[in-house]
Amino acid sequence: MMPRLALLCWLPLLMAGCAAPEIRLDREAERLHLTRSLVTGTDFQHLVYRNPAPMQNGELHVYLDGDGSPWIHHRQIADNPTPRNPLVLRLTAQDPAAAVYLGRPCYHGFATKPPCSAELWTHRRYSKTVIATMSAALGEIQNTLHPDKTVLIGFSGGGALAMLIAERLAGISGIVTIAGNLDPDAWTALHRYSPLTGSENPAKHPPLSGHIFQLHLVGARDTNIPPDLIRAAVRRQTSAKFVEMPDADHDCCWELHWPSILEMITNRR
């Protein structure tokens, strides 16, 4: 039996490990000196984290996270889809430009708040409803911060959202995707998942304006979003740049390469 003193020492660690994912992300954001706020989209609340960097040259970077945990073992719908991996928070914190992390509807503790339903983080995760509220929330952020240019930076499923938001929101000057799910239909077919009925597929939409800078990064070792899965979708876009990182997979090692990737964004002209 574990001694009582040892049990008391372990208890805070066990409690931290059992904390809800949105609480763990809040703690990580605080550690990274990101400030937390809420913004209203359409009928949904969105969590926003902002880094302390000042606006430079009127440019704002907006980070969009992946799909998080919509399913448990691909069988049972999760009751809390909030991302468990704070990768995108850490990328936001590394950015020397003014940057915000914009959360999705029904994530970050809002899953039980009306009008949320599990459809919005499972089959309809890229639906018109999600795109409309994300665009409205980002519009509110733009109205507050008044950037001249906005660059969307989307990880995994956040890459699909970036492409879809850019279709409908003014002021988007660039899109950067990291292991972006740019063709959800091809992705579900590859992994033999159920089709994302009710979701939009950016690969089946008209190409974005050639005035929008596009940089699509993918890991050569990524088995979730392999390079060949999205290569055709990138080729359809005007002047889009496709970069395959030889030592990266889906989650690793984007933090290590992020400073050089940020230089690519800064020096895109």
Side-chain angles (χ1 to χ4, degrees), residues 61-63 87-96 99 151-155 176-179 215 217 245 253-265:
H61 294 174
V62 178
Y63 287 75
L87 168 64
V88 179
L89 273 186
R90 292 171 181 161
L91 299 183
T92 307
Q94 276 196 53
D95 201 328
V151 177
L152 302 178
I153 302 173
F155 168 69
V176 179
T177 68
I178 310 150
L215 173 63
L217 306 152
M245 308 294 286
C253 300
W254 299 107
E255 288 179 71
L256 179 64
H257 294 297
W258 202 235
S260 61
I261 294 168
L262 288 168
E263 285 186 16
M264 294 171 65
I265 300 171

Side-chain angles (χ1 to χ4, degrees), residues 123-242:
H123 295 103
R124 298 179 60 223
R125 66 186 77 173
Y126 314 133
S127 65
K128 291 179 180 177
T129 299
V130 171
I131 301 308
T133 191
M134 294 287 287
S135 299
L138 179 50
E140 288 298 313
I141 292 170
Q142 290 175 318
N143 290 338
T144 300
L145 299 180
H146 305 291
D148 297 322
K149 300 167 289 185
T150 300
V151 177
L152 302 178
I153 302 173
F155 168 69
S156 193
L161 293 177
M163 299 294 287
L164 295 165
I165 291 170
E167 293 179 352
R168 62 185 299 157
L169 194 64
I172 305 301
S173 61
I175 292 174
V176 179
T177 68
I178 310 150
N181 190 357
L182 305 183
D183 190 344
D185 292 345
W187 176 73
T188 55
L190 173 69
H191 295 289
R192 299 182 179 180
Y193 297 154
S194 300
L196 299 184
T197 307
S199 281
E200 299 293 305
N201 183 350
K204 294 186 176 179
H205 286 216
L208 296 174
S209 167
H211 297 294
I212 297 177
F213 162 80
Q214 292 189 52
L215 173 63
H216 301 285
L217 306 152
V218 64
R221 300 179 180 178
D222 193 340
T223 57
N224 188 356
I225 310 282
D228 287 343
L229 185 73
I230 62 170
R231 202 182 301 272
V234 175
R235 285 198 190 110
R236 293 180 61 252
Q237 298 295 325
T238 304
S239 303
K241 188 173 183 180
F242 183 87

